[in-house]
């Protein structure tokens, strides 16, 4: 598993505004989208392309287009939905599948409550959207789900990562024979006793969509 913490002043600037408890939901949603588009630029560095030629007004030029099968974007509901627009802005031709996962606030264990994904993911590059890599339980389960269906490579985009979640991914995904990477804006200090990332930004789902 590879962890990429992206060091860029614009990312740091937007993340700081996102962390601020005074940032309201509409602004939080907009900043999340902008941040994801910047992270997606790095996350898609290995996206597969096929050679093509185009005719310019002057001559024929060699170029590339995204290869088939198309990349698959998988937002983890609920909070991952807030990252989708920012991702499809960069990859408008990608397909989108959905995975609904819920974290039990007592046990901190994740369970799957909804799924809309192709049965066969052979040869697919998958981009998982999950804003907070906290304990790592949700992401480990989501990656397992995609691997079981034959995913070829998996890149998770997370706004924030906790060291505990990173260690869990390293441990639980050690035997995997497909490439897995995580692209994030920051590695924070730790988890608190309630499983929240510190200093973090609070509950990403609540800040995007309110406490429901
Ligand atoms: N999920 C969140 O939304 N925030 C955290 O800090 C941890 C998990």
């Amino acid at each position: 598993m590879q962890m990429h913490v992206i060091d860029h002043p614009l990312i740091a600037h937007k993340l700081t505004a996102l962390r601020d408890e005074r940032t309201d939901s509409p602004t939080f949603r907009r900043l999340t989208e902008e941040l994801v588009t910047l992270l997606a630029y790095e996350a898609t560095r290995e996206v597969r392309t096929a050679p093509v030629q185009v005719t310019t007004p002057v001559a024929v030029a060699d170029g590339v287009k995204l290869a088939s099968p198309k990349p698959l974007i998988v937002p983890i509901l609920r909070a991952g939905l807030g990252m989708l627009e920012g991702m499809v802005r960069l990859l408008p031709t990608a397909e989108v599948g959905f995975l609904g996962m819920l974290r039990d606030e007592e046990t901190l264990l994740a369970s799957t409550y909804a799924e809309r994904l192709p049965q066969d993911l052979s040869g697919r590059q998958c981009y998982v959207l999950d804003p907070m890599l906290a304990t790592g339980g949700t992401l480990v389960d989501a990656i397992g789900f995609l691997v079981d269906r034959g995913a070829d490579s998996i890149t998770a985009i997370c706004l924030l990562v906790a060291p505990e979640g990173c260690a869990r991914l390293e441990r639980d995904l050690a035997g995997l024979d497909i490439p897995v990477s995580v692209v994030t804006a920051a590695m924070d200090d730790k988890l608190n006793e309630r499983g929240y990332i510190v200093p973090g930004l609070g509950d990403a789902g609540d800040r995007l969509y309110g406490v429901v």
Side-chain angles (χ1 to χ4, degrees):
M1 197 270 295
Q2 289 196 334
M3 177 69 60
H4 302 284
V5 182
I6 309 302
D7 181 18
H8 190 289
L10 276 182
I11 290 180
H13 168 78
K14 289 179 195 297
L15 178 61
T16 305
L18 209 58
R19 290 185 192 275
D20 191 332
E21 64 179 3
R22 295 168 301 179
T23 300
D24 60 15
S25 280
T27 312
F28 192 93
R29 286 199 289 270
R30 179 179 54 77
L31 285 167
T32 298
E33 287 179 18
E34 291 173 3
L35 198 47
V36 170
T37 303
L38 294 173
L39 292 175
Y41 180 72
E42 282 298 323
T44 51
R45 198 166 274 285
E46 304 290 329
V47 72
R48 290 182 200 126
T49 56
V52 286
Q53 286 194 323
V54 288
T55 306
T56 78
V58 179
V60 171
D62 292 328
V64 297
K65 63 172 186 173
L66 289 185
S68 231
K70 293 174 181 163
L72 182 73
I73 300 171
V74 185
I76 311 260
L77 307 181
R78 156 177 82 134
L81 214 48
M83 303 171 75
L84 184 57
E85 272 309 307
M87 187 70 192
V88 293
R89 192 165 298 139
L90 207 67
L91 274 184
T93 56
E95 288 177 349
V96 181
F98 296 90
L99 203 48
M101 305 194 84
L102 199 61
R103 184 171 83 145
D104 185 307
E105 295 298 333
E106 296 285 312
T107 63
L108 301 183
L109 295 176
S111 60
T112 306
Y113 67 87
E115 170 262 305
R116 183 77 192 246
L117 288 167
Q119 282 299 326
D120 182 10
L121 294 177
S122 311
R124 301 294 288 262
Q125 286 183 295
C126 296
Y127 294 91
V128 178
L129 307 179
D130 190 11
M132 310 298 274
L133 173 46
T135 62
T138 303
L139 200 52
V140 165
D141 286 0
I143 289 170
F145 204 98
L146 299 175
V147 170
D148 287 346
R149 296 214 173 164
D152 212 46
S153 86
I154 299 172
T155 303
I157 301 180
C158 302
L159 301 178
L160 287 179
V161 168
E164 294 89 336
C166 180
R168 166 97 182 260
L169 249 63
E170 295 275 10
R171 190 189 72 217
D172 289 7
L173 304 179
L176 224 55
D177 55 4
I178 64 158
V180 174
S181 55
V182 176
V183 173
T184 186
M187 171 84 73
D188 270 6
D189 298 344
K190 59 176 182 175
L191 293 181
N192 68 14
E193 64 290 344
R194 292 178 56 219
Y196 279 86
I197 297 179
V198 181
L201 49 75
D203 187 302
D206 288 354
R207 295 203 61 192
L208 283 163
Y209 303 119
V211 185
V212 290

